Amino acid sequence: MTFCYCSFTQYINNIMEEFNRKIRAGSTFLYRKDGVESQIFEVRMKSRIKDNALNAACRMAFKRYPYLNTKLRLHSDGLYYLDKCPFKPIPQRRKRFRALGSMSVQYHIIDITMWKKSIFIAFHHGMCDGLGIMPFIKTLIYYYLSYPNYKRSKLQVPDLRLAKTPLLKGETADPTVEGNFEIDASKVFHYEKPQCFRLPELESEQANYCRWEIEFAEADFMKVCKQLNCTPVILTSLMLQKAIAKTNNTEGKTIMSNVVCDWRKVLGVENTFRNSVTCVYLPYGEADKGLSISEFGLKSKELLKKQRETDSARANAMIMKTVADKLESMEYDDRVKMMQQMSGFINDTFTMSYLGRAMMGDLEQFIDGLHIYTSGDKGLTIEMINIAGKFVIDLKQSFLTDKYVNAFMQEFENIGLKGTVSDRIDFQIPKDKTTSMDLFEYIAYLYRKIRRK
């Protein structure tokens, strides 16, 4: 499909007018008094970043993703919407991240910065999740590496969306509105969650955010996975579960891996950029300690399969819709109170997030790695992606001890997998500045509230 410039501009304007800009999926990241930390995707290249190439790439990429060129704004109904920004984000060479929704980023909720060999894409999790931002990142890096000869580029990239590629079906769909939640209750797998072990470090009210960057060769990692009947998620979870068991007295409690699962396909909104994930469970209890890794792998595959079957998956994903419905039915002040309570929620024992293969084709020969992180999450989290012939892991913590990363790496060595691990990286990501209505919206909100009474 081709467009002339005028018709394409009108096409973009129509997209921004027609799609449902109200935030429902992702609403749990909103209504925070102090905002929420940005999610960072750091694309680490093999050579120093060129300012002019990244600026040009940014302009081209946002032509394809107009719904990302937006700001979060509270409307007079007390709900958040994605409003169009008049200017595209401008990349800047800087070491520190900027607060999303602030004047420093022209109120955008996505920001692109660069430093040395890294391109940083910071985005608001209320807008989209990791899988939702990845197509944009692929387009951005393609244009960056193709600069200035876009038309003559010979880089082969699967499922690449170029500036004039029309939006896919359901690309802006909200899964809590347009998702298929039809369920046969008799086919839903009910998992009785046991009492889970909580890391003793979480008893402290202090938070010190740090992470370690870990890498394994893809070929070696997959070879061991196949030998031990494990998937990458199961093997990585088990190594951390064993590490936790060996460094703590778990008192017979289950060490739980909360595995982030994407429900786009099962809900029938496969192309949406919006938040579409919840967690399934991968336990490691006392009985599992007597199993071989291969036996545990087979058992875990079966458990994950049951939780991911259509009816069970939709029942799990219903959490997103239920919370969105609940928040929308509440007064604004009550939403703020509810989100303040939820902000202290901690997943026992840890969270496991695997984005899968990056599928960036020829672009990967120029990429050293991709790192995913945010501060603000209390506890222990694994962020993992398969890119450029490597499994790249960011092990994040809200406390400073290195006992878990050391034990984690030892468990991998015990099964013949040797990887590299960085020194501890201390970091802090700024919170967004989108929490207040402008004066006129607030007056309208108060007027509506008084009239309802």
Side-chain angles (χ1 to χ4, degrees):
M1 186 175 181
T2 58
F3 296 88
C4 71
Y5 177 78
C6 293
S7 64
F8 184 70
T9 301
Q10 186 59 48
Y11 168 73
I12 294 300
N13 290 333
N14 289 342
I15 290 169
M16 295 308 296
E17 290 298 325
E18 293 175 5
F19 92 97
N20 183 2
R21 295 180 292 111
K22 184 192 296 182
I23 300 287
R24 282 175 49 86
S27 56
T28 54
F29 295 96
L30 307 175
Y31 310 106
R32 310 288 178 95
K33 281 186 177 180
D34 301 318
V36 68
E37 290 83 354
S38 311
Q39 186 81 15
I40 307 296
F41 273 49
E42 177 186 347
V43 186
R44 198 168 296 166
M45 309 298 287
K46 292 181 179 179
S47 57
R48 183 179 171 84
I49 305 305
K50 299 176 182 176
D51 298 60
N52 57 344
L54 185 58
N55 274 282
C58 186
R59 289 194 299 272
M60 295 295 288
F62 276 104
K63 287 182 180 180
R64 173 56 182 75
Y65 302 90
Y67 51 79
L68 297 182
N69 185 25
T70 48
K71 58 185 177 181
L72 272 178
R73 190 162 71 91
L74 272 169
H75 284 213
S76 57
D77 58 2
L79 299 170
Y80 273 100
Y81 289 75
L82 290 173
D83 283 358
K84 184 179 180 181
C85 281
F87 306 104
K88 293 181 176 66
I90 301 172
Q92 192 176 104
R93 185 176 294 279
R94 55 183 292 122
K95 194 172 184 178
R96 295 182 180 275
F97 298 117
R98 299 180 282 194
L100 298 180
S102 68
M103 189 179 294
S104 66
V105 295
Q106 298 178 306
Y107 307 104
H108 289 101
I109 52 172
I110 183 170
D111 187 31
I112 299 169
T113 56
M114 67 194 105
W115 187 254
K116 295 182 179 179
K117 297 181 180 181
S118 291
I119 298 171
F120 302 92
I121 298 93
F123 65 95
H124 197 296
H125 224 315
M127 175 179 66
C128 64
D129 56 23
L131 286 169
I133 201 71
M134 275 302 292
F136 169 82
I137 292 174
K138 188 185 293 189
T139 301
L140 178 73
I141 302 303
Y142 170 83
Y143 279 124
Y144 172 75
L145 291 172
S146 301
Y147 179 82
N149 299 314
Y150 304 133
K151 292 182 180 179
R152 297 201 297 273
S153 175
K154 294 182 180 179
L155 295 170
Q156 298 298 309
V157 185
D159 302 318
L160 177 66
R161 306 175 197 177
L162 296 176
K164 290 191 176 183
T165 303
L167 262 64
L168 305 179
K169 181 181 178 182
E171 191 168 334
T172 61
D174 189 316
T176 67
V177 176
E178 300 171 62
N180 182 355
F181 288 94
E182 292 183 10
I183 294 170
D184 182 343
S186 67
K187 295 180 180 178
V188 174
F189 172 72
H190 296 283
Y191 176 74
E192 294 295 330
K193 190 176 180 182
Q195 186 178 15
C196 298
F197 178 71
R198 172 165 287 202
L199 302 172
E201 290 81 5
L202 297 178
E203 293 178 8
S204 171
E205 292 185 5
Q206 278 192 322
N208 297 282
Y209 299 105
C210 61
R211 64 188 178 90
W212 286 264
E213 297 177 353
I214 301 165
E215 292 183 355
F216 294 98
E218 178 186 8
D220 296 341
F221 199 91
M222 290 308 301
K223 181 180 178 181
V224 171
C225 281
K226 290 175 182 178
Q227 289 173 345
L228 298 176
N229 289 313
C230 290
T231 64
V233 164
I234 292 171
L235 184 66
T236 306
S237 289
L238 179 59
M239 295 300 99
L240 188 54
Q241 286 166 323
K242 283 177 170 287
I244 291 170
K246 288 184 179 178
T247 52
N248 292 280
N249 177 11
T250 57
E251 301 173 345
K253 295 177 183 176
T254 297
I255 301 172
M256 185 64 74
S257 173
N258 296 272
V259 180
V260 176
C261 242
D262 169 44
W263 304 125
R264 284 172 169 79
K265 188 172 183 179
V266 77
L267 294 179
V269 287
E270 193 167 357
N271 297 317
T272 184
F273 77 98
R274 300 187 192 248
N275 286 274
S276 305
V277 300
T278 59
C279 289
V280 295
Y281 302 117
L282 190 56
Y284 182 70
E286 287 299 318
D288 297 313
K289 293 177 182 178
L291 299 177
S292 68
I293 294 178
S294 183
E295 290 170 331
F296 180 82
L298 291 172
K299 176 184 174 181
S300 297
K301 281 181 181 178
E302 185 62 27
L303 178 60
L304 289 178
K305 180 183 176 183
K306 289 178 180 177
Q307 294 177 83
R308 289 168 172 166
E309 287 173 349
T310 300
D311 295 281
S312 301
R314 288 179 182 170
N316 187 314
M318 185 69 76
I319 296 169
M320 298 188 300
K321 179 173 171 56
T322 301
V323 172
D325 290 344
K326 175 68 174 175
L327 285 171
E328 192 166 349
S329 70
M330 301 169 75
E331 293 288 344
Y332 172 74
D333 295 336
D334 293 328
R335 288 190 208 113
V336 173
K337 290 178 184 177
M338 181 175 170
M339 288 300 99
Q340 197 69 16
Q341 293 171 346
M342 287 187 68
S343 64
F345 178 77
I346 300 171
N347 267 338
D348 291 334
T349 308
F350 65 89
T351 301
M352 170 79 223
S353 178
Y354 175 45
L355 230 61
R357 292 201 63 174
M359 302 295 289
M360 296 178 78
D362 290 348
L363 306 183
E364 295 191 22
Q365 63 187 298
F366 304 97
I367 296 173
D368 186 54
L370 195 158
H371 297 272
I372 306 165
Y373 48 90
T374 185
S375 55
D377 294 338
K378 290 187 177 179
L380 187 58
T381 303
I382 293 174
E383 299 276 6
M384 184 166 74
I385 190 168
N386 180 358
I387 187 170
K390 296 180 284 190
F391 277 87
V392 180
I393 297 171
D394 281 82
L395 185 66
K396 304 186 307 179
Q397 295 179 179
S398 57
F399 42 86
L400 295 179
T401 178
D402 61 359
K403 70 179 187 181
Y404 295 116
V405 68
N406 290 339
F408 184 52
M409 296 305 292
Q410 184 59 55
E411 289 301 325
F412 276 113
E413 285 194 27
N414 291 345
I415 57 172
L417 261 177
K418 290 189 177 181
T420 62
V421 60
S422 70
D423 293 334
R424 189 185 78 201
I425 302 169
D426 299 319
F427 71 105
Q428 185 75 47
I429 308 298
K431 294 184 178 182
D432 73 83
K433 303 293 182 184
T434 63
T435 54
S436 59
M437 300 182 199
D438 63 43
L439 177 62
F440 296 108
E441 290 283 3
Y442 188 64
I443 291 171
Y445 164 70
L446 290 177
Y447 176 72
R448 287 162 61 101
K449 187 175 180 180
I450 291 168
R451 286 200 63 183
R452 282 197 294 270
K453 291 182 177 180

